[in-house]
Amino acid sequence: MTTIRKFYQEMCCAYSRSFVRDRPADLIMRVLCAPYFRQVHGYWPNFRKPRSFSEKVWYRMLFDRNPLWTLLSDKWAVRQYVAERAGTECLIPVLWHGINPEDIPFDNLPNRFVIKATHGCGYNIIIPDKGQVNRTEIVFRLRQWIKENYGTDVFPGIQWGYKNIKPAIIVEQFLGSNGIVPWDYKIYCFAGRVHFVEVHLDRFVQHATAAMDRNFDPVNTLFGEVGQHAPVGRPENHQELIRVAEALAEGLDFIRVDLYAVKGHIYFGELTCYHGGGCQPCATRQTDCSLGRLWELPASRGGET
């Protein structure tokens, strides 16, 4: 991260915590965010009249205070939402849930599992072999995460949907095999319809990605560097992946649905309201604009000042 970008990040976070809080972003917040956006995406944004995909992600972060985003961002509360729309069979079995890391019953857990904090992104600890981990270090890391407000302390500090989530911890069943996590299908839904799928292969080992359309035919890379992809065939249960994703995306102008396909079974990963925290550039400016045209913001977009 450049010095300039870090400076604006710290300024945005500080102002968001002290002055914006639960209100839509004011003019000062927008002025602070604009150079940060330019540092990340390479162009000056129009937050009031967003057209590109990246601008619309930031529009949602800056202005949209729909409590639904808090529900969808809470990795514990969202399970009920998923159960009602796609069925409980899509949920990864939970082995333990609580608020104190010291209470995790390591001795009663299987050899492999995944620990997650519920109030942010990237708060994951994959345990492929519990006999090889330092429990004290895990508890310490979870304690640090719990102290952090992901909504105001990470990136530009404007991911409002995370701000009011009560931190908790869940321990889930490990879905992969031989200690390797399954492929992660990140499914981009606009107006409740799947348009693109981005597959993440062999994460934490030799990470590669592949971009496809709703029929799982290859397309140009959506995010990251152009041409950075891996050949991936159409999964056997691709129609079920589309069905589950659209069931969860129904009624939403944009949502990213993350799913796993393991031995013919579909599992829910998470719903992402703010793709990349607004800080993952599209592969090209043209892609940014094309995705932006797919995202039709609600007719009523009140809240800007």
Side-chain angles (χ1 to χ4, degrees):
M1 180 184 298
T2 66
T3 301
I4 295 176
R5 180 173 165 184
K6 188 174 189 300
F7 169 78
Y8 279 107
Q9 174 176 311
E10 292 174 352
M11 292 290 289
C12 290
C13 287
Y15 190 81
S16 177
R17 284 192 299 266
S18 300
F19 298 101
V20 177
R21 299 174 185 170
D22 288 324
R23 297 187 298 272
D26 59 13
L27 176 60
I28 295 175
M29 188 78 239
R30 297 202 304 272
V31 169
L32 290 173
C33 284
Y36 185 90
F37 182 101
R38 187 178 187 278
Q39 283 285 311
V40 173
H41 297 285
Y43 61 94
W44 289 102
N46 186 337
F47 293 138
R48 295 292 297 272
K49 297 180 179 179
R51 292 184 296 177
S52 71
F53 176 79
S54 300
E55 286 174 321
K56 290 180 179 181
V57 172
W58 280 65
Y59 177 93
R60 179 180 283 181
M61 294 192 297
L62 287 166
F63 303 119
D64 195 337
R65 299 298 180 253
N66 186 342
L68 179 62
W69 306 135
T70 299
L71 170 67
L72 300 186
S73 300
D74 186 327
K75 289 179 173 53
W76 177 250
V78 75
R79 290 174 63 87
Q80 183 62 37
Y81 179 93
V82 173
E84 293 173 356
R85 288 179 168 234
T88 56
E89 63 274 10
C90 293
L91 298 173
I92 300 174
V94 170
L95 306 175
W96 182 83
H97 169 253
I99 59 175
N100 296 314
E102 294 85 353
D103 294 338
I104 297 175
F106 286 99
D107 291 334
N108 298 327
L109 294 173
N111 190 50
R112 294 174 179 167
F113 51 90
V114 177
I115 304 175
K116 298 179 179 179
T118 61
H119 64 297
C121 287
Y123 291 158
N124 307 318
I125 304 175
I126 298 172
I127 310 294
D129 181 358
K130 72 176 182 180
Q132 302 298 316
V133 300
N134 186 316
R135 300 182 185 184
T136 301
E137 290 182 359
I138 290 175
V139 170
F140 177 79
R141 194 190 313 178
L142 290 169
R143 274 287 169 207
Q144 295 303 112
W145 287 345
I146 287 174
K147 292 177 184 178
E148 189 172 58
N149 188 313
Y150 194 87
T152 59
D153 297 340
V154 178
F155 297 127
I158 57 172
Q159 296 184 75
W160 176 83
Y162 294 103
K163 179 178 179 293
N164 298 309
I165 298 174
K166 183 178 179 180
I169 301 164
I170 54 177
V171 180
E172 294 181 341
Q173 177 181 312
F174 186 90
L175 296 181
S177 58
N178 300 320
I180 305 299
V181 299
W183 290 3
D184 187 356
Y185 292 85
K186 299 185 181 299
I187 305 176
Y188 296 82
C189 302
F190 298 89
R193 187 175 189 273
V194 171
H195 282 263
F196 297 103
V197 180
E198 191 178 57
V199 187
H200 289 249
L201 302 75
D202 302 327
R203 301 186 76 178
F204 315 109
V205 181
Q206 191 172 359
H207 190 193
T209 63
M212 296 168 286
D213 61 19
R214 66 177 283 116
N215 297 315
F216 289 82
D217 293 323
V219 298
N220 292 332
T221 302
L222 301 176
F223 301 95
E225 297 181 6
V226 177
Q228 181 187 357
H229 62 84
V232 174
R234 182 178 300 166
E236 180 180 351
N237 53 352
H238 65 280
Q239 292 180 335
E240 182 67 3
L241 278 167
I242 297 297
R243 186 196 70 79
V244 171
E246 293 187 338
L248 297 176
E250 183 179 357
L252 302 176
D253 51 346
F254 166 75
I255 198 74
R256 198 189 80 204
V257 182
D258 294 1
L259 301 174
Y260 303 103
V262 181
K263 297 180 180 179
H265 193 98
I266 305 298
Y267 289 101
F268 169 75
E270 65 178 307
L271 293 176
T272 301
C273 306
Y274 312 121
H275 171 75
C279 295
Q280 184 178 21
C282 290
T284 67
R285 183 72 182 276
Q286 182 180 2
T287 300
D288 202 356
C289 293
S290 296
L291 293 177
R293 285 192 289 271
L294 293 173
W295 185 347
E296 184 175 350
L297 292 170
S300 176
R301 301 188 301 169
E304 304 99 320
T305 58

